[in-house]
Amino acid sequence: MLSKRLLAFILVLLPVARLMATHQRAAEITYKWMHGLTYEITVTMYTYTPSPADDSRTTLPILWGDNSSSDIPRIVFDALPDNYTLNIYRMEHTFPGSGTYTISVEDPNRNFGVVNIPNSVNVPMYVESQLVINSFLAPNNSVQLLNAPIDQGCVNRLFVHNASAFDPDGDSLSFMLVNCRGAQGLEIPGYTLPLASTEFTIDPVSGDLIWNTPVLQGEYNVAFRVEEWRQGIFMGAVVRDMQILIGACNNNPPVISLENSHCVIAGQSLNFDVTATDPDNNKVTLTASGAPLEVQSPASVLPNPATGTPTASATFNWNTDCRHIQKGLYSLLFKAKDNHPEVSLTSFAVTSIKVVGPPVEDLTAQALGNGINLNWTYQSCQNLIGFRVYRKTGTSSFVPGECESGLPASSGFEFLAQTNGPSTMSFRDDNQNNGLSPGINYCYIVTAIFEGETEGMACLPACASLRRDLPVMTHVSNDSLNLMAGKVLLAWAPPSELDENQHPGPYRYEVYRNAPGQSSLVYTGFGLNDTLCRDETLNLNELTTDAIYQVRLLNNDGEIGRSRQASSVKLTATPSDRSVVLHWEADVPWTNYNTQIFRKNDNGFTLIGNSTTNSFTDFQLINGQQYTYYIMTIGKFDGDGFVQPIHNYSPIVSAVPVDNVPPCPPSLSVETDCTDISNTLLITHPADSCFSDATTLMIYFSPGSRTNFSLLSSIPATEGQYLHQGLENVLGCYYVKAVDAEGNISEASETVCIDWDACPAYELPNVFTPNGDYINDTFIPFGYPSSNPKSNVDRVEFHVINRWGNIVFKTNDPLINWDGKDMRSGIDCAEGTYFYVCKVVVPSLDGLREQRLQGSITIIR
């Protein structure tokens, strides 16, 4: 393969061969997974039709990126308008295993006269694509660029091009401009982006290539890279090298009338019209491309292409089904091209289409026993993997938005459970066998889940509440009449919907205190109205956990049923620096919406605050002094017939504040001295009281990397800087921690790293005078090495190329030391301008780093 490439390179010196080879205009490489490690590779090229090389190029050398190569055969050879010929080369290749492979093609040469590629007639066309084979992910197919890489525009008119990128696997795509490449994949000396009045860019998301606006007429080549991402993992990339013809014309592009977005529920049809009108009354050709036209059971655009003067019209129709459901949007590109005698102009319009899974149907909620049974129906979908169930207490007026997938947080519904499999269309909510609470209204929504965790539309809520045919706990409280004794006051509401015919009296209650593995009877009451008691067998103030109770309703036939469990308030007090943090929990069937906090003083307990959460911090305390607290929760049931509000008291707890809070992290900045090879650390403290007792600063350092830190030095907290010197190079990372008098250590400051770019960059001059006067006789970097002794250039790959594209000098020496002679003949190179490309390899915090430099060198003798 090397001999073939060398031969191709030598042939550019021959006038006849150069004439034969001046034909390449645009190219790209795509791939398709076939089976195992075998992929079908397609090289698409557009060439200059009059060139004799078109007829002779029946095969093309291709490098597979696995140290092997082939001659890939041409399967399509079609002449197109405007002297373009479409060439498609295709063959299968089996790769050796998992890995990343760079597939590349180089073919001499580009067509004559490309404005932004100097001497383009002698510059090869080089394109590459990256194939990632990842054994942990499904096989990947490359992005397909459905719009041809050839286009036209006018001077001083906005130019927009879109490649209509379609990924068969539904991967996310990103776009970026890259430089066109030439011989051996090197960047082309003197290559520049096309000259624009304001900008030449590509949108990283949509892929719109925007030239605002062309300044000079002529042919231009540009390149961009399309990368694929799956779950945040890089999956591959395709580089397209495309050609744009800019003319001097008095013409306006067609105007496309199209809505920006559409939405459809899978199983329904989406239909809309699109028109393109030419403002200059030229004939218009309207074509469509994009994912909806490529998937299984594709959409149609009729006619495609559509033509008309001055208006062309087409109709889009898509009978969607469940296979089309996906998280991302489908992109559909419409291209309108006018027929103008000077330059035909093109305009693009993109519409996004969302296909969302349909909602479940016939959702019902039926209370039964201590739970609620949900049932629903759903159409058959092969890609359905299950359903998600959401719940909300109280009433709900939620109505799903048009074509909205899933549930917004504003709906108030919370995720409850997910069923597996498409056939399960029921769910029982009994609070994980703990029972739901009578008197509370429960509302539910169910959504369908498809492959890729794509969620369908929400249905309308279904609501239900349990019958009040059992007792309902309302109080598990420290007895407020004697909080210090810690006895438990228990109360419950009697059943209001008890079927006395089915369960005749007499009735009695049995109150149990439940603990893991055992239940203790603490009270027996007779009659439905005996709903109050005290548990005298324990002291809440001495418990390390909560106390859990349940009321059972019985008659002479046995147990009728039991209430849902309810716990006492579990209150903890955690000491901190001049503060105490209170936290509480209570597993109860009602809703606590407020809490009052009380602290003991010389006259008893005093209210010191309220909280709508389950925590409260009491500040401005004295370290070493004991503080005592209790809280009162305030709650309610959603339904009627209950005591409102519900007050429950916690145990009494105490804590002694202590300084266990570390100082705040310091702020760090670093100043680098490249001459002395030193770093000065500047350390400041945030304006925060938590820094008032910091006594020491500990400085950590990692030389040459972002990991493996070790303690470098400790300095008094009153000192604001530290000089780190005696270094081999300035590369490294630092962070600082503060320590107070109690030994509390702060979090680390932000890590500050000094990388390769902290000192002057590796730069090259653009002229030298190899005339033997010992002044500027050799080409070397600016001031190297004294101006930047610690940039640590590992090596360079430096090439000098003459205006015919021949390499006259190359070296790996960072000093370069070119004496102006041709490396093969040893003869002095002629005066004039040469081009260079240079890859500079320097050490950095992330390992060896490559920089690419390119420019011109003028020899003056």
Side-chain angles (χ1 to χ4, degrees):
M1 183 61 197
L2 288 176
S3 62
K4 291 181 180 179
R5 296 179 68 178
L6 180 59
L7 177 61
F9 186 75
I10 294 173
L11 285 176
V12 302
L13 299 176
L14 304 178
V16 175
R18 184 165 67 244
L19 176 63
M20 292 279 290
T22 59
H23 67 149
Q24 290 291 357
R25 308 187 79 167
E28 69 204 37
I29 303 170
T30 56
Y31 49 83
K32 175 184 177 182
W33 177 73
M34 304 303 291
H35 56 82
L37 297 172
T38 300
Y39 288 76
E40 179 185 80
I41 311 300
T42 299
V43 180
T44 303
M45 286 186 162
Y46 288 81
T47 54
Y48 182 60
T49 304
S51 172
D54 269 5
D55 295 329
S56 62
R57 250 356 207 159
T58 58
T59 64
L60 197 66
I62 185 170
L63 301 178
W64 299 114
D66 58 2
N67 297 318
S68 69
S69 62
S70 302
D71 288 329
I72 184 170
R74 184 167 64 187
I75 63 169
V76 173
F77 183 56
D78 289 340
L80 304 175
D82 301 321
N83 287 327
Y84 287 96
T85 296
L86 171 64
N87 303 259
I88 297 179
Y89 301 80
R90 182 174 292 156
M91 72 180 298
E92 292 186 2
H93 181 73
T94 301
F95 292 87
S98 297
T100 300
Y101 300 94
T102 299
I103 308 166
S104 63
V105 165
E106 177 183 327
D107 191 46
N109 280 339
R110 297 173 184 267
N111 64 286
F112 176 81
V114 178
V115 175
N116 61 326
I117 297 180
N119 195 31
S120 62
V121 69
N122 288 315
V123 177
M125 169 73 73
Y126 174 92
V127 288
E128 66 181 30
S129 290
Q130 283 186 291
L131 165 64
V132 176
I133 301 179
N134 188 331
S135 58
F136 296 100
L137 296 174
N140 184 53
N141 299 279
S142 75
V143 61
Q144 302 296 311
L145 304 178
L146 305 178
N147 197 17
I150 51 178
D151 210 344
Q152 296 179 335
C154 286
V155 172
N156 296 324
R157 300 290 175 88
L158 177 69
F159 172 86
V160 180
H161 176 88
N162 190 290
S164 188
F166 162 65
D167 191 272
D169 307 310
D171 296 328
S172 298
L173 302 178
S174 61
F175 302 80
M176 67 182 71
L177 288 174
V178 295
N179 288 343
C180 294
R181 299 290 183 93
Q184 303 178 47
L186 297 172
E187 293 190 7
I188 300 169
Y191 170 83
T192 61
L193 286 175
L195 185 62
S197 60
T198 56
E199 64 176 358
F200 189 99
T201 61
I202 192 168
D203 188 290
V205 178
S206 70
D208 282 344
L209 186 72
I210 301 172
W211 188 352
N212 190 12
T213 55
V215 176
L216 298 174
Q217 60 181 320
E219 289 180 344
Y220 297 84
N221 270 73
V222 297
F224 57 88
R225 175 180 167 98
V226 188
E227 295 184 343
E228 301 174 62
W229 301 88
R230 186 179 303 170
Q231 300 172 10
I233 299 173
F234 175 70
M235 294 300 297
V238 169
V239 173
R240 163 177 276 190
D241 192 316
M242 69 171 292
Q243 190 169 89
I244 307 169
L245 173 63
I246 299 298
C249 49
N250 183 20
N251 188 20
N252 296 287
V255 177
I256 301 175
S257 297
L258 177 68
E259 293 184 12
N260 292 332
S261 62
H262 296 83
C263 186
V264 60
I265 299 173
Q268 298 180 1
S269 296
L270 176 63
N271 300 274
F272 58 83
D273 296 325
V274 57
T275 61
T277 302
D278 188 80
D280 302 314
N281 293 317
N282 293 312
K283 180 180 179 181
V284 176
T285 300
L286 178 66
T287 57
S289 61
L293 306 179
E294 304 292 332
V295 297
Q296 290 183 325
S297 187
S300 65
V301 175
L302 297 175
N304 189 18
T307 59
T309 305
T311 299
S313 301
T315 299
F316 174 87
N317 180 71
W318 194 5
N319 297 319
T320 62
D321 58 43
C322 294
R323 293 173 297 178
H324 301 137
I325 299 169
Q326 65 176 30
K327 273 188 178 180
L329 302 175
Y330 290 92
S331 185
L332 181 67
L333 175 75
F334 285 91
K335 173 183 175 182
K337 183 176 183 180
D338 66 10
N339 185 8
H340 191 272
E342 296 176 353
V343 176
S344 293
L345 295 184
T346 302
S347 59
F348 297 89
V350 177
T351 186
S352 61
I353 300 175
K354 181 178 183 180
V355 181
V356 65
V360 304
E361 298 178 341
D362 306 320
L363 175 64
T364 60
Q366 183 178 10
L368 184 64
N370 65 350
I372 294 176
N373 292 338
L374 304 177
N375 291 277
W376 61 88
T377 61
Y378 202 74
Q379 66 182 38
S380 176
C381 288
Q382 292 183 349
N383 55 345
L384 181 68
I385 62 175
F387 299 91
R388 286 181 184 164
V389 181
Y390 297 85
R391 184 180 69 187
K392 176 187 179 182
T393 58
T395 59
S396 174
S397 58
F398 172 75
V399 177
E402 183 181 1
C403 235
E404 179 181 39
S405 60
L407 277 168
S410 59
S411 68
F413 282 82
E414 296 181 352
F415 174 74
L416 182 62
Q418 179 167 326
T419 67
N420 295 319
S423 60
T424 302
M425 299 189 190
S426 63
F427 179 80
R428 177 171 173 79
D429 179 20
D430 58 5
N431 194 32
Q432 299 180 346
N433 296 320
N434 293 316
L436 297 175
S437 298
I440 293 181
N441 192 55
Y442 296 94
C443 291
Y444 300 87
I445 286 177
V446 178
T447 61
I449 307 298
F450 301 87
E451 291 176 356
E453 295 297 307
T454 303
E455 194 167 10
M457 283 188 66
C459 63
L460 291 174
C463 304
S465 58
L466 302 187
R467 291 184 60 196
R468 283 192 53 193
D469 54 0
L470 292 173
V472 178
M473 295 289 297
T474 59
H475 293 79
V476 181
S477 174
N478 193 357
D479 191 348
S480 61
L481 297 179
N482 188 358
L483 291 171
M484 301 302 295
K487 304 308 176 184
V488 185
L489 178 67
L490 303 166
W492 56 94
S496 59
E497 299 178 73
L498 179 62
D499 188 342
E500 297 189 10
N501 292 324
Q502 183 180 358
H503 303 290
Y507 305 104
R508 69 180 186 277
Y509 295 114
E510 292 181 353
V511 181
Y512 287 83
R513 184 174 69 249
N514 295 335
Q518 65 178 5
S519 294
S520 303
L521 179 64
V522 298
Y523 179 77
T524 300
F526 297 93
L528 293 178
N529 294 323
D530 188 356
T531 59
L532 184 68
C533 71
R534 286 206 318 169
D535 182 3
E536 303 276 358
T537 63
L538 55 75
N539 184 343
L540 277 179
N541 300 324
E542 297 175 353
L543 290 183
T544 58
T545 184
D546 53 357
I548 301 173
Y549 294 86
Q550 189 174 48
V551 179
R552 301 179 186 180
L553 176 63
L554 303 94
N555 63 5
N556 290 337
D557 296 328
E559 182 178 319
I560 299 173
R562 60 187 67 182
S563 72
R564 177 183 159 183
Q565 293 186 145
S567 73
S568 62
V569 179
K570 180 184 178 182
L571 176 64
T572 59
T574 303
S576 191
D577 187 17
R578 291 169 291 173
S579 63
V580 171
V581 179
L582 300 175
H583 181 84
W584 55 91
E585 296 176 352
D587 184 7
V588 295
W590 59 88
T591 301
N592 287 320
Y593 58 87
N594 192 20
T595 301
Q596 294 183 343
I597 296 92
F598 296 84
R599 185 180 69 201
K600 189 177 182 181
N601 56 29
D602 294 339
N603 298 319
F605 285 92
T606 302
L607 177 66
I608 61 171
N610 292 269
S611 175
T612 56
T613 66
N614 60 346
S615 64
F616 179 85
T617 301
D618 190 13
F619 292 105
Q620 298 181 344
L621 305 180
I622 299 173
N623 287 344
Q625 180 175 315
Q626 179 172 289
Y627 294 85
T628 301
Y629 304 87
Y630 75 83
I631 65 170
M632 181 183 72
T633 62
I634 306 172
K636 67 174 183 177
F637 283 97
D638 291 326
D640 298 327
F642 295 94
V643 59
Q644 305 283 20
I646 300 173
H647 293 164
N648 280 274
Y649 293 82
S650 75
I652 294 175
V653 297
S654 298
V656 178
V658 61
D659 184 1
N660 57 6
V661 176
C664 295
S667 295
L668 173 65
S669 61
V670 180
E671 295 180 352
T672 297
D673 189 322
C674 296
T675 302
D676 293 339
I677 316 173
S678 64
N679 291 317
T680 300
L681 281 66
L682 304 177
I683 307 166
T684 58
H685 306 308
D688 195 297
S689 61
C690 63
F691 242 109
S692 59
D693 59 351
T695 58
T696 305
L697 297 174
M698 298 191 299
I699 301 171
Y700 292 83
F701 176 61
S702 175
S705 73
R706 304 178 192 273
T707 58
N708 303 320
F709 285 85
S710 59
L711 182 64
L712 175 64
S713 181
S714 296
I715 62 174
T718 54
E719 295 187 10
Q721 67 180 34
Y722 175 80
L723 177 62
H724 189 197
Q725 53 188 356
L727 301 169
E728 292 185 5
N729 58 62
V730 298
L731 269 66
C733 294
Y734 302 86
Y735 67 78
V736 181
K737 293 183 178 181
V739 186
D740 66 15
E742 301 297 325
N744 298 308
I745 302 175
S746 76
E747 295 290 328
S749 68
E750 289 189 5
T751 299
V752 177
C753 294
I754 309 302
D755 209 345
W756 63 275
D757 55 355
C759 292
Y762 187 85
E763 294 181 304
L764 299 174
N766 59 8
V767 64
F768 77 117
T769 58
N771 55 11
D773 63 357
Y774 302 102
I775 300 173
N776 201 26
D777 275 344
T778 56
F779 184 80
I780 61 174
F782 274 123
Y784 189 87
S786 60
S787 67
N788 188 17
K790 293 303 178 181
S791 63
N792 287 334
V793 176
D794 182 73
R795 67 184 186 278
V796 300
E797 295 178 13
F798 179 79
H799 296 74
V800 179
I801 304 161
N802 64 17
R803 64 191 183 93
W804 301 110
N806 300 320
I807 298 176
V808 298
F809 179 77
K810 64 180 180 179
T811 184
N812 297 117
D813 182 4
L815 191 55
I816 299 180
N817 267 327
W818 183 36
D819 58 4
K821 297 181 183 296
D822 187 296
M823 66 178 181
R824 292 185 176 86
S825 66
I827 299 174
D828 287 342
C829 293
E831 284 190 310
T833 300
Y834 296 77
F835 300 101
Y836 71 83
V837 290
C838 183
K839 181 171 76 173
V840 185
V841 182
V842 299
S844 74
L845 296 176
D846 300 311
L848 293 178
R849 178 185 178 92
E850 294 184 0
Q851 295 174 275
R852 290 189 177 271
L853 306 176
Q854 65 181 49
S856 64
I857 304 171
T858 300
I859 294 179
I860 302 175
R861 296 189 184 279

